[in-house]
Amino acid sequence: MAANGATGRNGLAKIHTEKKADEVCHDDSTTPMKAQTIDELHSLQMKKSAPTTPLNGIQGPFAAFSEEERTKQQLQSISASLASLTRETGPKVVRGDPASKSATPRVVSHHHHVSPTISVSDSSLKFTHVLYNLSPAELYEQAIKYEKGSFISSSGALATLSGAKTGRSPKDKRVVRDETTEHDLWWGKGSPNIEMDEQTFMVNRERAVDYLNSLDKVFVNDQFLNWDPQNRIKVRIVSARAYHSLFMHNMCIRPTAEELENFGTPDFTIYNAGQFPCNRYTHYMTSSTSIDLNLARREMVILGTQYAGEMKKGLFSVMHYLMPKRQILSLHSGCNMGKDGDVALFFGLSGTGKTTLSTDHNRYLIGDDEHCWSDNGVSNIEGGCYAKCIDLSREKEPDIWNAIKFGTVLENVVFDEHTREVDYSDKSVTENTRAAYPIEYIPNAKIPCVASHPKNVILLACDAFGVLPPVSKLTLAQTMYHFISGYTALVAGTEEGIKEPQATFSACFGAAFIMLHPTKYAAMLAEKMQKHGATGWLVNTGWSGGRYGSGSRIKLAYTRKIIDAIHSGSLLKAEYKRTEVFGLEIPTAVEGVPSDILEPMNTWTDKKAYKETLLKLGGLFKNNFGGFVAHKIGKDDKLTDEILAAGPVF
Ligand SMILES: Nc1ncnc2c1ncn2[C@@H]1O[C@H](COP(=O)(O)OP(=O)(O)OP(=O)(O)O)[C@@H](O)[C@H]1O
Ligand SMILES: O=C([O-])CC(=O)C(=O)O
Ligand SMILES: [Ca+2]
Ligand SMILES: [Mn+2]
């Protein structure tokens, strides 16, 4: 041991450090240190953003003042949104994260009247910090720091939990019934509009506003709906979670800095206090969840559910009211466009394939879920897509797979605790796992998301009975019959409490979101299809070879081939034969699809069971349509009669 050199007392070699003249140790780095303290160093890391609100022409000494003035106006508007209507004052709002010391304390409070000191409660003394239109990166940080259950997935998405509710709660959606809505809206049997009165709305609104104001910080998103510039709607979403803010950032249209500068007052405001329940002693409340729409006030209140789809679909309901007033048809449909400009709509209830089939590598995506059809053509209402991701496969749905990256919200998925790799087959949290991403994450999205008039209108049904053909060509009357019926077998999970597929009829393929009587939308659709010569198709993306349990779901690859043949126009020219009971025209051959599956009866081994099931489904259709026979569709009696005759006959 210690063969050479000096040894210390314990026998170990001494460590020699050569001392230079100045007696200071230097490392290799020659870069001079620009900061004197740690705090200074950290302050260097972030540079000031280019103003989110560019100074429209104002330069020179007044520029700084006007930016300040603008920020003040913005805060005043937010304070007004958050005002308690009983105390008549808005909260003191301040911009920026309460956790960040450098946040400028630019305090603004909104007063209707100057009424000092008399009824001041503690809530009017505290500040509410406003996190206004944060970027995805900032929202990630907020979510990860403060929201339990937020993680970064291996592909960079923000994995979150939506809490106890993992689907919408249609039974808890209420609409204020007043003199206007009393006459305008669809009420009663079958209608999604469960009534509440103005007073109760205000009670819930106050509850939500007080809850939001009690927090240290709230998120505010100012965004747009509808890519048609003439019919754009300004929306404000006030929420308590970074998850909700990022979700809406992705799903609504994102304003440019300049558009944000000129945003002004919103046309519609959502108060999302979803973490806080409604008060069950409040009139009308039947659970601790309430989603309340007040069209006169242009406001929506969410209590007792954190499922983000409530905001998306709540706004869709609003569009279903506002757009038809302007002679514009609102549609629960996907939309895409071919290289030659041919446009297709994809209608269908939740889980029938709107997102999957409108996301098509060979076509431009206009949108996956909500559209308007005006005299100018089709426009997407949203700025993002909301894809189901149960059993998502990279191979079958590559564009959706690749869209799940930084910026995307991934709801309720299960992932590996170490690698953070998502297991898309895992239903432990829910079957209704979802990804919300900005539409430009799909490489062939068309921006702006507008297109000309549709050539094909494809009605998607996921038939758990396995008796509807994979594809049939419809007459206009049949298209209307199936549009009004809105049949599918609901795939588990998107609506609370549905665990097994079951036959469902939902008028206009979205009765949960329509506000007027279904025949109003149907009449508009018929008129537009007629005027623009669109062809209707019924595509079964559901079962073949037997009903749910014995048959199996039609292969996505086959459905895609069928859709390709519709787009190309080749299916229009095919040879057809007519089916029993439903009287559907089915093609004898489709390129790339085994011909024997085109006729469902061929795929069933038990022909008797097939016939029974077919009649059973026919009966369900008849029974459902009974609710509509007394209504006229459009001004034309002839069309109404044709539609009534276009259902199953047996
Ligand atoms: N033959 C098929 N055609 C279409 N989709 C299929 C088929 N077979 C399986 N699927 C699966 O069905 C699901 C269709 O869901 P999709 O997200 O497209 O529904 P959606 O109509 O957009 O519903 P929502 O309105 O709830 O968003 C996807 O998970 C898809 O992978
Ligand atoms: O609203 C949701 O939760 C998802 C959706 O698109 C639908 O159900 O139609
Ligand atoms: Ca969808
Ligand atoms: Mn939908």
Side-chain angles (χ1 to χ4, degrees):
M1 202 191 197
N4 46 39
T7 48
R9 251 184 303 163
N10 58 4
L12 289 175
K14 265 187 183 163
I15 297 162
H16 291 276
T17 49
E18 276 184 35
K19 283 185 181 172
K20 292 256 167 70
D22 62 2
E23 302 271 302
V24 173
C25 264
H26 286 275
D27 64 18
D28 300 336
S29 157
T30 52
T31 341
M33 196 57 236
K34 289 185 181 165
Q36 301 301 311
T37 64
I38 291 286
D39 282 351
E40 239 180 273
L41 177 62
H42 282 252
S43 77
L44 292 177
Q45 190 180 23
M46 268 183 255
K47 67 179 178 117
K48 237 184 128 26
S49 295
T52 44
T53 49
L55 307 171
N56 242 357
I58 310 164
Q59 300 293 335
F62 297 108
F65 168 76
S66 81
E67 201 197 335
E68 190 158 319
E69 195 46 38
R70 223 174 7 253
T71 309
K72 199 174 140 203
Q73 275 172 18
Q74 235 168 31
L75 285 173
Q76 243 156 16
S77 158
I78 292 166
S79 176
S81 288
L82 279 165
S84 149
L85 294 170
T86 54
R87 291 187 292 277
E88 297 213 347
T89 69
K92 289 178 180 160
V93 293
V94 53
R95 199 164 163 158
D97 187 348
S100 138
K101 288 182 215 112
S102 65
T104 6
R106 211 182 263 120
V107 182
V108 170
S109 113
H110 173 83
H111 292 268
H112 294 281
H113 308 288
V114 191
S115 59
T117 55
I118 319 155
S119 60
V120 173
S121 69
D122 288 344
S123 70
S124 61
L125 295 176
K126 73 174 273 295
F127 296 130
T128 305
H129 286 249
V130 172
L131 301 182
Y132 184 68
N133 275 23
L134 293 197
S135 67
E138 292 170 299
L139 291 168
Y140 265 57
E141 290 163 5
Q142 288 289 329
I144 285 159
K145 259 192 226 162
Y146 302 111
E147 291 169 21
K148 219 171 158 225
S150 301
F151 297 90
I152 301 182
S153 82
S154 64
S155 73
L158 181 71
T160 61
L161 288 176
S162 70
K165 304 274 179 175
T166 57
R168 282 180 291 102
S169 310
K171 291 187 187 80
D172 294 309
K173 190 178 150 213
R174 293 179 180 77
V175 182
V176 173
R177 187 165 177 156
D178 56 24
E179 298 93 78
T180 318
T181 56
E182 162 99 51
H183 300 289
D184 282 5
L185 303 194
W186 178 27
W187 299 104
K189 192 171 170 278
S191 153
N193 306 317
I194 304 169
E195 73 169 84
M196 80 190 304
D197 61 20
E198 166 84 15
Q199 171 68 17
T200 310
F201 177 85
M202 296 311 271
V203 170
N204 280 356
R205 183 195 190 278
E206 195 74 349
R207 194 171 171 93
V209 162
D210 279 346
Y211 168 74
L212 290 166
N213 286 333
S214 76
L215 303 172
D216 285 342
K217 63 188 176 202
V218 295
F219 297 87
V220 175
N221 293 35
D222 277 350
Q223 295 186 256
F224 299 116
L225 296 179
N226 199 357
W227 286 87
D228 168 4
Q230 283 164 25
N231 295 292
R232 195 164 80 166
I233 303 295
K234 297 187 281 182
V235 290
R236 171 169 293 168
I237 300 103
V238 186
S239 59
R241 289 190 64 180
Y243 149 48
H244 289 151
S245 185
L246 183 58
F247 178 89
M248 293 310 265
H249 172 89
N250 291 350
M251 293 310 299
C252 297
I253 299 169
R254 292 157 290 284
T256 63
E258 212 171 341
E259 287 168 332
L260 202 55
E261 177 188 351
N262 302 316
F263 195 83
T265 36
D267 300 314
F268 196 89
T269 303
I270 295 183
Y271 298 94
N272 187 346
Q275 285 151 297
F276 201 63
C278 63
N279 185 340
R280 294 200 56 177
Y281 287 112
T282 306
H283 192 32
Y284 294 101
M285 299 300 109
T286 48
S287 77
S288 54
T289 301
S290 199
I291 300 116
D292 307 329
L293 187 53
N294 187 329
L295 291 169
R297 290 189 58 87
R298 294 169 170 251
E299 287 176 346
M300 184 175 162
V301 168
I302 299 175
L303 289 163
T305 171
Q306 297 181 59
Y307 182 66
E310 297 290 4
M311 294 183 284
K312 163 192 164 61
K313 280 307 204 289
L315 291 175
F316 190 34
S317 298
V318 174
M319 294 300 275
H320 267 310
Y321 177 71
L322 295 178
M323 292 300 118
K325 272 180 170 301
R326 307 181 185 189
Q327 315 308 319
I328 296 167
L329 176 59
S330 42
L331 314 159
H332 188 209
S333 78
C335 180
N336 67 18
M337 186 180 95
K339 303 264 182 312
D340 302 327
D342 66 292
V343 175
L345 292 179
F346 298 82
F347 285 99
L349 286 170
S350 185
T352 54
K354 293 183 299 299
T355 301
T356 297
L357 299 171
S358 56
T359 308
D360 180 333
H361 214 68
N362 300 312
R363 295 171 65 84
Y364 298 109
L365 177 65
I366 306 299
D368 76 323
D369 198 55
E370 305 175 7
H371 290 85
C372 287
W373 187 352
S374 76
D375 287 340
N376 301 323
V378 180
S379 60
N380 189 354
I381 289 174
E382 302 179 289
C385 303
Y386 195 32
K388 274 188 169 288
C389 31
I390 200 70
D391 295 326
L392 183 68
S393 99
R394 168 185 252 152
E395 177 213 339
K396 289 184 200 148
E397 301 186 63
D399 288 340
I400 294 174
W401 180 280
N402 291 327
I404 301 178
K405 56 182 182 184
F406 178 80
T408 297
V409 177
L410 252 183
E411 289 175 334
N412 301 321
V413 296
V414 174
F415 47 83
D416 181 280
E417 63 175 353
H418 173 55
T419 63
R420 303 287 199 249
E421 235 158 271
V422 177
D423 178 356
Y424 288 108
S425 68
D426 196 317
K427 302 173 186 169
S428 305
V429 180
T430 177
E431 162 114 35
N432 187 33
T433 55
R434 292 268 180 174
Y437 46 86
I439 191 160
E440 61 270 17
Y441 280 18
I442 299 297
N444 49 355
K446 183 186 170 290
I447 313 285
C449 305
V450 294
S452 59
H453 297 286
K455 179 173 130 191
N456 290 299
V457 170
I458 302 168
L459 309 183
L460 304 170
C462 177
D463 175 27
F465 290 90
V467 294
L468 289 183
V471 60
S472 35
K473 188 176 69 176
L474 304 175
T475 63
L476 182 69
Q478 282 177 319
T479 309
M480 299 325 299
Y481 179 87
H482 286 278
F483 179 71
I484 294 166
S485 298
Y487 165 71
T488 199
L490 250 192
V491 176
T494 304
E495 289 188 1
E496 274 296 306
I498 306 222
K499 299 281 177 250
E500 284 267 291
Q502 63 181 56
T504 308
F505 294 92
S506 179
C508 309
F509 290 106
F513 328 117
I514 62 179
M515 302 236 76
L516 316 178
H517 194 270
T519 52
K520 299 241 169 72
Y521 304 97
M524 288 177 81
L525 181 64
E527 196 233 50
K528 286 181 188 296
M529 284 186 66
Q530 230 159 2
K531 185 166 167 193
H532 301 286
T535 307
W537 305 88
L538 182 64
V539 171
N540 174 11
T541 63
W543 270 254
S544 174
R547 61 149 73 204
Y548 172 79
S550 62
S552 57
R553 196 156 178 192
I554 294 165
K555 282 197 173 68
L556 179 54
Y558 293 157
T559 302
R560 287 206 197 276
K561 289 285 178 199
I562 287 167
I563 301 288
D564 287 347
I566 293 173
H567 292 318
S568 75
S570 69
L571 204 57
L572 199 57
K573 294 182 215 122
E575 198 184 306
Y576 284 89
K577 59 180 185 194
R578 213 177 151 80
T579 68
E580 279 182 288
V581 183
F582 280 90
L584 297 165
E585 297 282 328
I586 59 174
T588 50
V590 179
E591 203 192 307
V593 182
S595 291
D596 55 325
I597 74 161
L598 295 173
E599 160 92 83
M601 189 166 56
N602 295 341
T603 65
W604 286 58
T605 37
D606 184 346
K607 308 293 180 206
K608 192 162 156 273
Y610 165 77
K611 191 69 198 272
E612 278 166 17
T613 311
L614 180 67
L615 289 172
K616 178 168 183 217
L617 183 63
L620 292 172
F621 264 84
K622 263 199 172 162
N623 188 37
N624 170 70
F625 214 83
F628 298 104
V629 290
H631 288 86
K632 213 160 110 172
I633 289 124
K635 293 171 201 86
D636 194 347
D637 275 332
K638 187 169 156 276
L639 182 62
T640 307
D641 293 342
E642 280 173 14
I643 294 170
L644 289 176
V649 177
F650 54 96

